[in-house]
RNA sequence: GGCGCUAUCGUCUAGCGGUUAGGACGGAGCCCUCUCAAGGCUUAAACACGGGUUCGAUUCCCGUUAGCGCUACCA
């Protein structure tokens, strides 16, 4: 049997990081088994329609490198892949269930259900289960609004094996007569997921733990239809720092947010994969290819995992350091452009990136933490100025500047040699020149190696900035 | 309330009966050093509780507790 997995989000307008993790696991599993990964849009709630949501979802998935083989825009043999386009399929199936007595039409009004609940009932009282078929048919033909509910046995239990949790057992007496078809003719999740997973030949249902309690209903439906039951794997939830289910209000949950902040897709995928899974050894930095190779459902944990931004930051840094400057460059061009700094050559930018690589957390830092690569400083760090720009400093800077001007080669080694010999001649420690010079050419108290910084900036910039500092920093 | 799931350092986790309970992030300290980083080294920090089973439980079983999830004509 070939492996077919799917990610079946409802289009809410953005891709939740928890959703990305679910999608990633389903994707990794499918790829590893040379199977098929499907994207299916579960848009059966008309009241929650969001314009452009599907497009955004697909874009976020593609950004992360979680590519689906079948789905909207990639029609395979099992489409359509958008549930709102599959209504006739659900109707046919639900009718079959009604005819076979495995589901029934329910004419109860919202008011009645509300009263029922208000009176303390925790489940539907099955009031319409006993309506004779002929009467139900008559009422349907008369246009009576109604839903279709599944018949749940009153006793016994449903057992199933979950790939991550083991055997699970739930008493039928605690399962409600679930609505399958809503008054508006749309299926509920429970009907649609079963019909679609079966008709799309899904072999492994990999989804969030929030679906575990309703899985027995799905099992029952598979049995009613006489279908083979797929394997289930319910993933642990992603949590807020306070351990509640990950949600906005407590930070960013949309993968687009992280992308916009300058997190690498490689880091995002690596980090999220490790929230609930690990290879069993001490490796932590994984590429998508390595994840596909080593992932296994057996090693997925059962407990929820807190989304820890500190670890993500570290991981992002690790991936940035491992990435060649030429690969980083296209990622920061837009950020540069937004600040009007898109005039620098690729060669210059690659030097900047190599220098900044290991002091950056997100890619935006290549722009925001080191503006001095893009324009001369207009303000100078006050603390550094107080500490390093002494009355005797200007004279020393003048000598240093003259030495630098006379250099034949303006590279880091030559600059360093010039500075150190100047310091020696002036009988002061090199720090007496290094710190003021850094302040003069960058305006900042810290940053990359001064000599390399000067080399990248170039002689003209360095000399000009030193002159300017001598004027400004009296 | 009912049902279900879960439970190792603050966080992510390794562990699949006998370990000095390991690693990573974060914290602290030291080293390196022109600053900031990066890197290296060191260090503090955990088996929720109570019963069993067993020669022996972090590990298996049962309770308790706690957390979370579900309990919609939302997914």
């Amino acid at each position: 049997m070939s492996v077919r997995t799917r990610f079946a989000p409802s289009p809410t307008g953005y891709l939740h990081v928890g959703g990305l993790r679910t999608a990633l696991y389903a994707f990794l599993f499918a790829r590893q088994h040379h199977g098929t990964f499907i994207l299916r849009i579960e848009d059966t709630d008309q009241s929650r329609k969001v314009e452009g949501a599907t497009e955004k979802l697909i874009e976020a998935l593609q950004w992360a490198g979680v590519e689906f083989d079948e789905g909207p825009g990639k029609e395979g043999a099992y489409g359509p892949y958008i549930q709102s386009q599959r209504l006739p399929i659900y109707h046919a199936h639900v009718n079959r269930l009604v005819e076979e007595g495995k589901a029934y039409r329910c004419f109860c009004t919202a008011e009645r259900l509300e009263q029922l609940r208000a009176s303390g009932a925790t489940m539907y009282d099955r009031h319409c289960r006993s309506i004779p078929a002929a009467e139900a048919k008559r009422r349907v033909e008369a246009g009576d609004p109604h839903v279709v509910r599944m018949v749940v046995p009153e006793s016994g239990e449903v057992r199933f094996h979950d790939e991550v949790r083991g055997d699970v057992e739930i008493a039928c007496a605690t399962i409600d007569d679930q609505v399958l078809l809503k008054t508006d003719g749309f299926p509920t999740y429970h009907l649609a997921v079963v019909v679609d997973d079966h008709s799309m030949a899904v072999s492994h249902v990999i989804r969030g733990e929030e679906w575990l309690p309703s899985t027995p209903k799905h099992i029952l439906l598979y049995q009613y239809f006489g279908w083979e039951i797929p394997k289930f794997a319910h993933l642990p939830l992603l949590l807020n720092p306070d351990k509640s289910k990950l949600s906005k209000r407590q930070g960013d949950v949309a993968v687009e947010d992280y992308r916009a902040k300058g997190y690498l897709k490689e880091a995002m995928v690596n980090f999220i994969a490790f929230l609930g899974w690990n290879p069993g050894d001490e490796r932590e930095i994984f590429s998508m290819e390595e994840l596909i190779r080593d992932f296994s459902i057996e090693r997925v944990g059962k407990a929820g995992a807190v989304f820890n931004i500190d670890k993500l930051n570290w991981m992002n840094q690790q991936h940035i350091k491992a990435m060649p400057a030429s690969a980083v460059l296209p990622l920061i061009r837009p950020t540069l452009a937004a600040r009007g700094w898109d005039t620098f050559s690729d060669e210059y930018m690659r030097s900047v990136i190599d220098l900044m690589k290991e002091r950056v957390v997100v890619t935006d830092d290549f722009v925001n933490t080191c503006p001095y690569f893009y324009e001369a400083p207009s303000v100078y760090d006050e603390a550094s100025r107080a500490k390093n720009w002494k009355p005797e400093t200007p004279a020393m800077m003048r000598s240093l500047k003259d030495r630098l001007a006379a250099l034949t080669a303006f590279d880091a080694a030559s600059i360093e040699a010039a500075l150190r010999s100047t310091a020696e001649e002036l009988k002061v420690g090199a720090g007496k020149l290094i710190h003021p010079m850094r302040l003069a050419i960058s305006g900042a108290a810290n940053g990359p190696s001064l000599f390399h910084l000067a080399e990248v900036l170039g002689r003209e910039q360095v000399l000009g900035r030193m002159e300017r500092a001598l004027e400004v920093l009296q």
Side-chain angles (χ1 to χ4, degrees):
Chain A
M1 187 181 70
S2 72
V3 168
R4 289 173 60 85
T5 64
R6 82 319 192 258
F7 174 50
S10 60
T12 54
Y14 61 92
L15 177 58
H16 191 280
V17 291
L20 176 61
R21 206 232 359 212
T22 303
L24 177 65
Y25 283 14
F27 168 80
L28 295 175
F29 187 76
R31 279 284 180 280
Q32 178 173 82
H33 295 275
H34 307 289
T36 306
F37 175 60
I38 305 160
L39 174 65
R40 183 175 70 225
I41 303 298
E42 310 230 326
D43 60 343
T44 55
D45 186 353
Q46 292 206 288
S47 64
R48 296 211 299 187
K49 256 187 180 163
V50 177
E51 209 49 49
T54 299
E55 291 69 25
K56 289 188 75 172
L57 213 49
I58 291 174
E59 195 191 318
L61 242 25
Q62 278 174 341
W63 170 74
V66 178
E67 299 276 353
F68 53 91
D69 306 301
E70 293 174 22
K74 266 196 169 180
E75 303 301 317
Y78 301 84
Y81 297 89
I82 296 178
Q83 290 185 330
S84 59
Q85 295 171 11
R86 299 171 61 82
L87 266 25
I89 300 173
Y90 307 124
H91 292 160
H93 283 89
V94 104
N95 287 338
R96 184 180 141 193
L97 249 27
V98 171
E99 279 162 27
E100 294 175 2
K102 292 162 180 166
Y104 58 94
R105 311 210 183 253
C106 169
F107 302 89
C108 290
T109 59
E111 294 71 52
R112 182 177 182 280
L113 295 177
E114 219 167 284
Q115 275 176 9
L116 202 60
R117 271 189 288 269
S119 72
T122 58
M123 295 199 289
Y124 176 57
D125 63 359
R126 295 168 175 172
H127 178 75
C128 294
R129 234 204 229 193
S130 53
I131 294 175
E135 185 190 333
K137 193 176 176 213
R138 199 163 52 243
R139 290 179 69 171
V140 169
E141 278 160 6
D144 265 18
H146 64 279
V147 301
V148 175
R149 290 180 182 271
M150 68 185 285
V151 171
V152 174
E154 275 145 62
S155 61
E157 51 277 319
V158 177
R159 283 176 244 266
F160 64 98
H161 181 80
D162 187 273
E163 298 298 309
V164 348
R165 271 149 232 287
D167 294 320
V168 181
E169 179 181 310
I170 292 181
C172 290
T174 66
I175 306 173
D176 210 350
D177 273 7
Q178 181 64 47
V179 171
L180 299 178
L181 198 71
K182 303 184 250 183
T183 306
D184 65 3
F186 276 70
T188 57
Y189 172 83
H190 307 285
L191 201 229
V193 76
V194 169
V195 168
D196 287 347
D197 282 340
H198 175 262
S199 58
M200 293 180 183
V202 168
S203 63
H204 298 257
V205 173
I206 298 173
R207 77 223 305 192
E209 190 188 351
E210 67 268 31
W211 296 111
L212 194 62
S214 48
T215 304
K217 294 171 187 171
H218 305 162
I219 302 272
L220 247 18
L221 286 174
Y222 278 102
Q223 290 170 348
Y224 287 175
F225 284 120
W227 292 337
E228 189 187 345
I229 297 169
K231 295 215 183 300
F232 289 99
H234 288 94
L235 273 22
L237 262 19
L238 254 36
L239 274 22
N240 290 309
D242 72 356
K243 304 260 189 178
S244 58
K245 185 171 162 182
L246 188 64
S247 63
K248 29 188 178 184
R249 200 68 292 171
Q250 295 202 38
D252 293 314
V253 293
V255 332
E256 295 89 313
D257 293 337
Y258 290 93
R259 178 187 183 179
K261 281 184 177 170
Y263 287 93
L264 258 30
K265 64 178 183 184
E266 289 83 355
M268 219 47 210
V269 163
N270 191 168
F271 175 65
I272 273 187
F274 270 66
L275 254 25
W277 174 84
N278 74 82
D281 54 39
E282 270 154 20
R283 293 171 297 158
E284 291 213 90
I285 301 302
F286 274 69
S287 66
M288 185 68 96
E289 291 64 39
E290 291 168 325
L291 288 172
I292 289 170
R293 195 189 58 215
D294 293 349
F295 179 77
S296 74
I297 284 187
E298 297 76 60
R299 293 201 61 83
V300 171
K302 303 180 212 279
V306 173
F307 188 93
N308 180 212
I309 196 81
D310 282 331
K311 186 88 177 239
L312 205 214
N313 285 338
W314 172 79
M315 210 164 247
N316 204 52
Q317 193 169 219
Q318 295 302 309
H319 277 95
I320 287 176
K321 283 201 299 175
M323 196 174 268
S326 56
V328 174
L329 181 52
L331 302 177
I332 67 173
R333 279 284 183 203
T335 316
L336 238 25
R339 304 216 19 189
W341 293 336
D342 48 353
T343 56
F344 299 94
S345 71
D346 284 3
E347 191 194 356
Y348 179 79
M349 285 311 304
R350 281 196 296 269
S351 308
V352 171
I353 290 167
D354 281 330
L355 235 38
M356 290 303 295
K357 232 180 200 179
E358 51 197 30
R359 33 207 119 219
V360 121
V361 172
V362 291
T363 54
D364 284 7
D365 290 344
F366 281 111
V367 178
N368 300 328
T369 67
C370 50
Y372 43 81
F373 281 112
Y374 315 113
E375 64 185 25
S378 51
V379 293
Y380 298 86
D381 183 88
E382 272 311 320
S384 174
R385 178 178 180 173
K387 188 175 177 218
N388 301 310
W389 200 269
K390 297 291 167 55
E392 66 274 22
T393 303
M396 298 193 292
M397 282 296 106
R398 279 250 116 79
S399 322
L400 177 59
K401 182 175 173 248
D402 292 342
R403 286 291 294 271
L404 294 176
L407 245 29
T408 46
F410 203 76
D411 57 69
S414 309
I415 295 165
E416 177 164 10
L419 182 140
R420 291 196 187 279
S421 66
T422 304
E424 219 168 292
E425 284 163 21
L426 294 170
K427 297 193 164 43
V428 296
K432 289 272 185 256
L433 298 182
I434 288 171
H435 299 299
M437 179 171 165
R438 173 187 303 286
L439 182 66
I441 69 174
S442 77
N446 47 47
S449 148
L450 174 70
F451 310 116
H452 292 277
L453 170 63
E455 176 183 327
V456 169
L457 252 22
R459 189 192 322 249
E460 193 186 331
Q461 279 293 324
V462 169
L463 298 182
R465 291 181 184 192
M466 287 178 82
E467 186 55 43
R468 164 88 181 140
L470 281 164
E471 289 163 18
V472 177
L473 302 175
Q474 300 296 332

